[in-house]
Amino acid sequence: MSAATLERQFRPIYESLDNGSNKSAIVSCNKILKKYPNNLLCKALKALALVRSQKVEESLALCDEILAAKPLDEPTISAMMHVLKGLGRNTDLVAMCEEAYKAQPQNEEYGAQAFFAHIRAGNWKSAQQISTKMHKQFQEDRYLYWSANDPSTATSMRTLLYKLAHRLVTSSPTPSYLSADRFHMHLSILKELALYDEANTLLESDVGKAICSTSLACSQTRRDIRRKQGSFTEEGARAQERIAEGDRNWLEFLSVLDAAFVPVALSQGDPSEGSTRQCRENIEKARTFLADIANKDGAKNRAAPLALVDLEHRAYKHGLNDVIAVIGSMEHYFTQFGDKACCFEDLRGYLEPEIASSERWRAVLSANQPSFESVDTLQRLINVRKFQRHCLSEVEITVEAETARGVQYLSEYMNGLALGKDLPVTELQPADDLALLAAHAFVSVWTLNGSQDALCNAATLLEFGLTKSRMSFLMHMMLIRIYRILGAPALALDHYRAMNVKRVQNDTLSHLVLSRALTFSLAATGDLTYPTECLESSQIYLANAQETSDFVVRAFTSERYTQIPEFIEFEDRLENSLQRDVVKLEHVRMRLTHEQLHTDIIDMELIELKFIFDRLHQDNRDFVILPNYQPACRPTFNEQSLMFGTSCGLGWLWSFLKIYIRAFQHASDLDETVEEKLLIGDRPKKSPDPETKLPLPERLAIRKPEEAAELTSEELRLMEWATALGDWLEPHHNYTRPPPHVVLAEAAKQTELKTGLPLRGVDLKALNDMNGHSKKDEEAPPIKEAPELVVKFFEGMHTHFKQLLENNGSPSRLLHAATITQEAYILLAVETLRFKTPSVVKIHKLGNLATMIKDIRQRVNSIVKEMSSELLKVGEAEGTVDRRSAFVQACVPVTLGQIDHDFVLNIAKNVTDARKKVVEGVAKGMAKLHSTHSQS
Amino acid sequence: MNIRQARVEDLAGMQACNLHNLPENYTMKYYLYHALTWPSLSYVAEDNGHIVGYILAKMEEPEEHDGGEKSEQVPHGHVTSISVLRSYRRLGLAKKLMLQSQEAMSTIYRAAYVSLHVRKSNRAALSLYRDTLGFTVKSIEEKYYADGEDAYAMQLTFKQT
């Protein structure tokens, strides 16, 4: 095949791969392979398309063929890099790159790839060897540098990178001060390596001073260096000069303030009289200086006035002035900047409880007359309301008072709408925050009396707000939280989608809808909305694995060493994201409700969950983005509106991992030896936490109060139940599990049936010899009575469920009780799967055990069935005229201004319909699971 | 309010700023590319540790076989994305971010001018670019945005120093 023909033939394959149409890529590959069965590039591209369409086994076989042929051409290698990365076969990836580099020592790219593959795996020694070779070949210093130093940890690697960068910048013939960019890098390097004297020489030079005066980044690095050296006073003087010249960056103001308070801030214990006197003098000087700047700037810039507030606040904290002085400065600030939206956020941090409750501050606020004359007066009113709300004391927070406040905020919102009536639809109403405040007040009512009526009010008024400000993501987020509590998840999901969450936001925001999504999942009935949402939100992690690591290599080859740690850290944050694995576990929980309990699923998920169990997680979830205008003495809106009152953090993840890993391990035939043999790719790096060094059974048995604190009472019961069940059955699982050679022989047989090739890396004969003497010489463990808890759990949950029904509990709580019971029902099936096989029972004389299990199952079956039909009745009652009119009735307080009866009725319809759908769906799903699992 | 050079780990915070604007859908790769290639052109505005605004910018270098207009033959800066949280508007933040980036474009990369695209409907931004920063509209690009809206292509020529 000529090069041109080849090029023409391959183009559509690359295009299909780029577009994500893996199927058509495979078809095109097969066509070429028919004519040219040995074309390596074509095989590699096919392997890539297979990996991307989750056909791991086929891809593996193809992969082995290609690797055996030792590919050397660039397109094949680059395709294989993606394949191997996708399969997690880093060891093979390193080997392939090394091989290619050996064959083509002039190719720097291969060298760098091999080098970085080692670095990422923490194989420092091998990386060093490669860099020695690369230095010989390319005569470049950076390789020599790597080979001469031996990093043994990530931290030492970071230092090494900076040393390398330092060498590069100091040995360069062009001095760094020729460009601000390089000068900044040079300074950062010196800062990182704590070479302060060298940094000072650079900074004190005329050219250095000149650069710092124009380059923001350089000036900031200089400031950091000075602070690390402890030269606060000098830095303050310099900042003062900068401010006088017109710089208004806040950090300069902080430098001035820090310098003023140095005498008291640095003293141990009570400051001496001398230092207090010194400090008072400094404060006086700084005050005069800042007041002067504030006067000059007027309303143009808020930095100096805010710095004055900060100054008085610090002085108050050090006992150098009184509350009145702080309030005075805040009053001044509010008068000047009360019409800016950020005024509340600016001052909130200074509102000490004694200030918030003082008559003086309250008088400042109430002196402001509400006015809807202009956007500025409206904004001032909004700020007043925010401050007043923030400063409320416990006694002022009652159902009546909060309802009245909610209505007041809402009427003011309606008045404020006139100011934005001509805005384009993409704009937000200037009055929006009043609607947010009103919703906060109603949510607060709900926390006080527990009645969902208040939440209906909040939802209605926020829905109205969105008709006026289509793009208000704050309203969307509040609604998501409220609808989840109200048990209308479809509406929550609609609002989540309307926010158009994308890319990295999937990592930071998917917690809004995916935490405890099992509660609302209808996967058991075949509706895969939530499982799909889980998979889609996880795409970002695949993109990260493929793309960010490329940037690490690119940063290295383009000699941007100082950026490498940044990229590596970023990659790690996404790779080990807590939310990633919370979503993964949620997906597993849903998966078990709609797929058959096949050993394939159990084995695969077991391995994946065990990997997760070894990770050091990073929590990237963003909760700060939710608005919070609740009084300072009360929990934040985020805390109040978390469904079931707890977030799914590390404690939740750890608890559920322990439940599932243990259950899967019992059900699986994969013991450690087998798993080692069957594992595709490498194990991920283990977390440095010493706990991960303990044997797995010990780790699974650890219970910590801080982990339990993240569980709901239902989840806690599930955990206790699963522990009791596991303890009871574990000895029998371990005794009856077939020996490794039998399991591997079966796996080999299956692989050969599927792919036509033998299982790689498994020598069955050797295994057979090794397992010559069977463990069956051991005595069978005695069969014990089933622990009481195993059945009692279901009865207890049923009683709990009925209580919730009687007390008219929220639908989401009801669904939670039902789905946790259902989860136990499935876990019971997983734990007892092995003892369903008659031959196992017969050979191991487990008849007694099987009878006990059967008895438990029967009792549990009827409970699940009953719960399902009770839930169905609840669903039928939703979506009726009665329910809608109850909703409308509840919303009388907010049926005002432009919110009319019809608008409320429409929301009522949406909410009750959504409830009906989810409650009936879960009920039907339970019935379906009942018929599946009660059959045996 | 503090303005500083953007770092790789700011990505999540920058994206959070984007929630209520109408930003285009840039891939993560694109962000990383900016961070690696032109680190001194992108800035964030920080308040109490939160990112409340950002500018993401890049350089366009003339290509040897570039057959485009004459103005494209010289290196110039391009503002990929700029955004300020709603409650931090009307404080001159966007202007400060823009000036920082422009300064770097002109001094580090010797850019002759800076270009950007703005939605036709975005009156506030249009007035910022035109009235406050001195940009002029060069052309209208029809259906420039994914949702079908037209864009103004705007430019500002740097004074040669």
Side-chain angles (χ1 to χ4, degrees):
Chain A
M1 185 159 37
S2 77
T5 339
L6 198 75
E7 153 83 33
R8 208 180 53 237
Q9 299 237 31
F10 279 111
R11 202 176 307 138
I13 304 180
Y14 279 110
E15 270 166 24
S16 307
L17 282 168
D18 278 346
N19 300 333
S21 23
N22 298 314
K23 258 193 191 155
S24 74
I26 295 174
V27 172
S28 315
C29 285
N30 284 340
K31 261 191 213 158
I32 299 184
L33 284 173
K34 235 182 195 169
K35 269 197 202 163
Y36 310 98
N38 292 320
N39 186 304
L40 276 189
L41 174 57
C42 191
K43 281 187 190 173
L45 292 176
K46 185 179 169 184
L48 185 57
L50 285 169
V51 173
R52 290 193 177 164
S53 37
Q54 312 291 328
K55 294 185 178 152
V56 175
E57 278 165 356
E58 286 175 61
S59 172
L60 269 180
L62 208 51
C63 226
D64 290 339
E65 265 179 60
I66 302 164
L67 287 179
K70 302 207 165 135
L72 288 174
D73 64 303
E74 202 142 349
T76 309
I77 298 245
S78 108
M80 281 304 285
M81 281 202 222
H82 288 288
V83 177
L84 293 172
K85 250 183 223 167
L87 291 170
R89 289 169 66 168
N90 284 322
T91 323
D92 289 334
L93 181 86
V94 176
M96 181 185 74
C97 289
E98 275 196 47
E99 202 75 51
Y101 177 53
K102 233 188 257 166
Q104 298 179 14
Q106 71 287 359
N107 189 325
E108 196 171 349
E109 174 73 15
Y110 293 165
Q113 288 290 357
F115 174 73
F116 266 97
H118 280 307
I119 294 285
R120 209 165 289 118
N123 305 332
W124 311 104
K125 267 262 157 324
S126 317
Q128 212 183 337
Q129 280 162 3
I130 292 198
S131 62
T132 313
K133 257 189 251 164
M134 288 181 82
H135 172 65
K136 276 186 199 142
Q137 177 66 35
F138 305 110
Q139 294 297 318
E140 274 197 47
D141 270 1
R142 52 181 159 156
Y143 299 122
L144 176 68
Y145 208 81
W146 274 97
S147 51
N149 289 275
D150 184 10
S152 52
T153 60
T155 333
S156 68
M157 182 200 62
R158 189 184 165 99
T159 313
L160 177 59
L161 280 165
Y162 274 95
K163 281 187 181 163
L164 179 55
H166 182 232
R167 213 184 129 115
L168 188 76
V169 81
T170 48
S171 64
S172 160
T174 47
S176 64
Y177 55 71
L178 284 185
S179 124
D181 213 15
R182 278 176 56 97
F183 191 74
H184 173 236
M185 190 179 76
H186 195 169
L187 280 182
S188 317
I189 295 163
L190 298 174
K191 179 182 103 181
E192 189 77 19
L193 298 173
L195 297 170
Y196 298 137
D197 290 342
E198 208 176 321
N200 282 342
T201 319
L202 277 186
L203 288 167
E204 292 309 320
S205 67
D206 288 344
V207 63
K209 280 183 189 162
I211 292 179
C212 285
S213 71
T214 57
S215 161
L216 190 65
C218 293
S219 157
Q220 187 172 339
T221 314
R222 185 198 45 68
R223 186 182 306 112
D224 292 348
I225 291 174
R226 291 284 200 246
R227 284 172 161 261
K228 283 196 175 177
Q229 287 177 289
S231 358
F232 291 98
T233 312
E234 296 83 343
E235 191 51 29
R238 203 208 43 82
Q240 211 157 322
E241 275 172 39
R242 299 274 303 147
I243 294 170
E245 287 163 12
D247 195 329
R248 291 292 178 271
N249 232 355
W250 180 243
L251 295 181
E252 302 292 357
F253 287 89
L254 283 184
S255 292
V256 171
L257 294 170
D258 287 346
F261 287 91
V262 157
V264 290
L266 293 181
S267 63
Q268 309 278 332
D270 277 342
S272 70
E273 212 173 291
S275 54
T276 309
R277 194 173 351 97
Q278 177 64 46
C279 194
R280 280 187 195 278
E281 278 172 32
N282 289 354
I283 292 173
E284 200 43 52
K285 277 188 211 151
R287 192 182 280 137
T288 317
F289 170 74
L290 291 171
D292 192 35
I293 298 287
N295 267 338
K296 253 190 254 166
D297 286 356
K300 265 193 353 228
N301 197 296
R302 62 201 172 101
L306 192 59
L308 275 168
V309 178
D310 202 297
L311 177 92
E312 303 303 347
H313 182 255
R314 286 191 200 206
Y316 170 63
K317 282 302 210 186
H318 285 291
L320 298 172
N321 70 8
D322 55 16
V323 171
I324 302 297
V326 189
I327 297 179
S329 68
M330 285 173 52
E331 178 178 5
H332 194 72
Y333 190 84
F334 176 71
T335 314
Q336 230 180 343
F337 300 101
D339 56 356
K340 301 281 185 203
C342 56
C343 183
F344 174 66
E345 272 81 14
D346 285 346
L347 295 184
R348 183 168 50 183
Y350 305 111
L351 278 169
E352 303 292 336
E354 57 275 25
I355 296 176
S357 60
S358 72
E359 285 304 318
R360 174 88 195 268
W361 176 241
R362 294 194 165 206
V364 169
L365 295 176
S366 51
N368 182 70
Q369 289 300 317
S371 156
F372 302 93
E373 216 167 88
S374 66
V375 174
D376 284 351
T377 59
L378 173 65
Q379 188 58 60
R380 196 172 281 277
L381 171 67
I382 290 173
N383 280 323
V384 168
R385 292 291 176 256
K386 285 182 184 171
F387 281 124
Q388 284 173 330
R389 187 160 180 78
H390 180 86
C391 299
L392 289 177
S393 60
E394 282 287 357
V395 292
E396 293 169 293
I397 304 167
T398 62
V399 171
E400 293 72 28
E402 284 288 74
T403 311
R405 279 183 203 112
V407 173
Q408 185 198 1
Y409 301 142
L410 185 62
S411 345
E412 287 172 343
Y413 167 73
M414 293 295 176
N415 284 330
L417 282 179
L419 287 166
K421 64 179 187 327
D422 299 324
L423 290 174
V425 288
T426 47
E427 284 293 316
L428 301 181
Q429 290 291 329
D432 273 359
D433 284 4
L434 284 166
L436 297 180
L437 277 163
H440 273 75
F442 283 109
V443 169
S444 161
V445 171
W446 168 70
T447 62
L448 294 170
N449 67 3
S451 156
Q452 291 187 31
D453 290 359
L455 291 183
C456 299
N457 279 293
T460 303
L461 77 91
L462 287 170
E463 286 284 5
F464 176 78
L466 275 172
T467 65
K468 298 290 173 187
S469 293
R470 219 181 57 191
M471 305 294 292
S472 171
F473 76 100
L474 294 174
M475 293 187 187
H476 282 304
M477 286 198 293
M478 287 187 79
L479 278 168
I480 292 171
R481 282 289 178 86
I482 292 169
Y483 280 143
R484 274 165 64 92
I485 299 171
L486 283 175
L491 301 180
L493 202 54
D494 284 347
H495 283 284
Y496 183 70
R497 287 177 176 157
M499 279 167 57
N500 195 14
V501 160
K502 51 194 171 275
R503 316 289 171 200
V504 116
Q505 291 165 351
N506 278 303
D507 186 40
T508 54
L509 293 176
S510 65
H511 66 83
L512 285 170
V513 284
L514 292 182
S515 54
R516 296 198 171 94
L518 177 74
T519 320
F520 304 127
S521 163
L522 306 185
T525 63
D527 175 345
L528 296 185
T529 308
Y530 276 102
T532 313
E533 200 66 42
C534 288
L535 294 178
E536 276 171 11
S537 88
S538 301
Q539 285 297 322
I540 181 69
Y541 307 110
L542 298 179
N544 176 53
Q546 283 165 13
E547 289 164 8
T548 313
S549 56
D550 285 349
F551 276 90
V552 176
V553 179
R554 277 163 84 170
F556 187 76
T557 42
S558 57
E559 302 189 61
R560 293 184 179 266
Y561 306 117
T562 52
Q563 288 190 310
I564 296 175
E566 278 189 45
F567 281 108
I568 290 182
E569 194 192 318
F570 180 76
E571 185 183 18
D572 180 67
R573 281 196 80 92
L574 277 175
E575 177 68 21
N576 293 318
S577 161
L578 171 67
Q579 181 62 13
R580 173 190 196 164
D581 291 335
V582 167
V583 170
K584 163 75 196 171
L585 197 52
E586 208 59 50
H587 186 253
V588 171
R589 296 168 79 200
M590 292 181 208
R591 200 178 166 190
L592 294 182
T593 65
H594 77 97
E595 283 184 48
Q596 275 209 319
L597 291 184
H598 199 271
T599 44
D600 274 0
I601 294 187
I602 291 172
D603 292 349
M604 215 168 85
E605 298 293 6
L606 170 64
I607 294 178
E608 284 198 41
L609 294 184
K610 275 168 74 181
F611 279 0
I612 295 177
F613 205 42
D614 281 344
R615 276 196 179 141
L616 179 64
H617 284 97
Q618 305 252 20
D619 191 356
N620 306 329
R621 296 171 303 160
D622 191 348
F623 293 111
V624 180
I625 197 148
L626 284 152
N628 179 39
Y629 302 124
Q630 294 301 27
C633 60
R634 306 273 298 168
T636 62
F637 170 75
N638 168 46
E639 289 158 346
Q640 290 177 338
S641 66
L642 279 168
M643 191 168 66
F644 312 138
T646 71
S647 88
C648 295
L650 197 58
W652 183 91
L653 177 67
W654 241 228
S655 304
F656 273 83
L657 277 175
K658 286 172 187 170
I659 295 178
Y660 275 89
I661 291 176
R662 190 149 188 243
F664 286 164
Q665 211 184 23
H666 288 167
S668 172
D669 285 346
L670 300 187
D671 69 359
E672 304 273 316
T673 359
V674 180
E675 188 188 306
E676 207 51 58
K677 292 281 174 198
L678 292 182
L679 192 64
I680 301 159
D682 319 329
R683 280 174 194 285
K685 244 191 291 179
K686 271 200 177 190
S687 148
D689 185 344
E691 217 179 275
T692 55
K693 306 265 183 317
L694 296 174
L696 189 62
E698 259 177 64
R699 287 185 66 199
L700 291 176
I702 296 174
R703 299 285 179 269
K704 289 182 186 163
E706 64 267 30
E707 287 174 11
E710 282 184 25
L711 302 182
T712 64
S713 63
E714 291 89 345
E715 288 166 343
L716 204 58
R717 287 201 219 178
L718 177 76
M719 178 109 204
E720 285 162 7
W721 168 83
T723 312
L725 179 71
D727 290 346
W728 180 45
L729 294 176
E730 190 163 71
H732 306 292
H733 282 294
N734 289 346
Y735 186 72
T736 50
R737 185 175 292 114
H741 69 276
V742 177
V743 181
L744 282 173
E746 179 60 23
K749 206 170 100 193
Q750 291 301 332
T751 317
E752 219 164 334
L753 278 177
K754 265 190 205 159
T755 62
L757 291 163
L759 195 62
R760 57 198 285 273
V762 176
D763 185 353
L764 284 174
K765 204 171 157 289
L767 267 171
N768 260 327
D769 296 345
M770 209 171 71
N771 284 282
H773 38 89
S774 151
K775 64 174 174 182
K776 294 298 168 273
D777 303 340
E778 297 165 24
E779 214 167 293
I783 296 171
K784 287 191 195 145
E785 279 298 312
E788 219 179 332
L789 190 60
V790 172
V791 178
K792 271 227 162 133
F793 164 82
F794 288 93
E795 290 164 355
M797 287 301 278
H798 196 192
T799 317
H800 173 58
F801 179 81
K802 281 195 268 197
Q803 274 165 355
L804 286 173
L805 267 181
E806 274 166 31
N807 303 338
N808 254 330
S810 87
S812 47
R813 196 83 215 190
L814 209 56
L815 290 173
H816 185 54
T819 47
I820 291 291
T821 313
Q822 171 186 298
E823 190 170 13
Y825 187 54
I826 296 170
L827 282 168
L828 178 68
V830 171
E831 277 272 10
T832 56
L833 197 59
R834 186 186 300 284
F835 310 113
K836 265 164 89 175
T837 321
S839 60
V840 171
V841 175
K842 209 174 153 197
I843 295 169
H844 299 286
K845 304 192 182 72
L846 293 174
N848 253 345
L849 187 71
T851 320
M852 283 183 220
I853 292 172
K854 207 172 162 190
D855 178 48
I856 294 167
R857 271 226 201 93
Q858 263 168 5
R859 289 161 67 187
V860 170
N861 279 337
S862 63
I863 292 175
V864 169
K865 198 168 176 198
E866 239 174 275
M867 265 175 134
S868 155
S869 59
E870 282 156 352
L871 208 51
L872 203 58
K873 272 185 222 146
V874 176
E876 277 161 12
E878 286 292 343
T880 56
V881 180
D882 279 359
R883 286 300 164 94
R884 283 200 288 275
S885 47
F887 189 104
V888 172
Q889 192 55 38
C891 286
V892 166
V894 296
T895 315
L896 62 89
Q898 296 180 45
I899 300 181
D900 57 18
H901 176 269
D902 284 357
F903 184 84
V904 183
L905 187 61
N906 198 30
I907 307 294
K909 187 173 179 321
N910 293 343
V911 172
T912 50
D913 283 357
R915 276 182 172 175
K916 185 183 174 68
K917 188 177 169 226
V918 69
V919 175
E920 286 190 348
V922 171
K924 285 177 188 159
M926 275 182 100
K928 203 161 170 199
L929 282 164
H930 171 262
S931 65
T932 314
H933 293 299
S934 61
Q935 289 308 313
S936 35
Chain B
M1 188 67 51
N2 165 43
I3 298 200
R4 61 165 175 79
Q5 202 165 300
R7 299 188 282 258
V8 180
E9 71 255 32
D10 291 328
L11 177 55
M14 285 160 78
Q15 290 269 31
C17 272
N18 266 336
L19 270 174
H20 46 159
N21 300 325
L22 293 163
E24 283 303 289
N25 215 344
Y26 298 119
T27 60
M28 187 170 78
K29 205 152 107 182
Y30 200 53
Y31 275 101
L32 297 179
Y33 183 53
H34 276 77
L36 177 69
T37 322
W38 308 282
S40 49
L41 295 189
S42 296
Y43 292 84
V44 296
E46 219 176 11
D47 196 72
N48 291 320
H50 297 298
I51 292 175
V52 298
Y54 75 86
I55 182 168
L56 189 71
K58 62 175 182 171
M59 286 300 299
E60 309 257 27
E61 301 287 342
E63 284 177 36
E64 284 190 15
H65 308 290
D66 198 349
E69 289 170 41
K70 213 180 166 198
S71 62
E72 285 172 15
Q73 303 275 339
V74 290
H76 68 272
H78 183 81
V79 176
T80 305
S81 176
I82 179 166
S83 170
V84 172
L85 268 187
R86 181 184 165 81
S87 46
Y88 290 84
R89 303 254 172 98
R90 293 164 64 226
L91 299 169
L93 266 185
K95 182 181 170 186
K96 279 186 190 160
L97 287 165
M98 190 72 104
L99 291 179
Q100 276 304 328
S101 184
Q102 287 177 7
E103 167 81 23
M105 284 173 190
S106 135
T107 57
I108 298 173
Y109 295 99
R110 311 270 169 231
Y113 65 93
V114 53
S115 63
L116 57 81
H117 289 103
V118 59
R119 281 177 185 270
K120 253 178 139 176
S121 68
N122 196 345
R123 292 185 302 189
L126 194 63
S127 119
L128 166 77
Y129 302 141
R130 195 178 47 207
D131 308 335
T132 315
L133 296 164
F135 277 75
T136 49
V137 175
K138 280 285 158 184
S139 61
I140 296 177
E141 297 200 17
E142 280 178 32
K143 301 207 166 50
Y144 176 81
Y145 293 99
D147 57 10
E149 194 175 335
D150 295 350
Y152 289 121
M154 302 186 84
Q155 274 189 19
L156 171 74
T157 306
F158 294 136
K159 282 189 214 104
Q160 294 304 320
T161 44

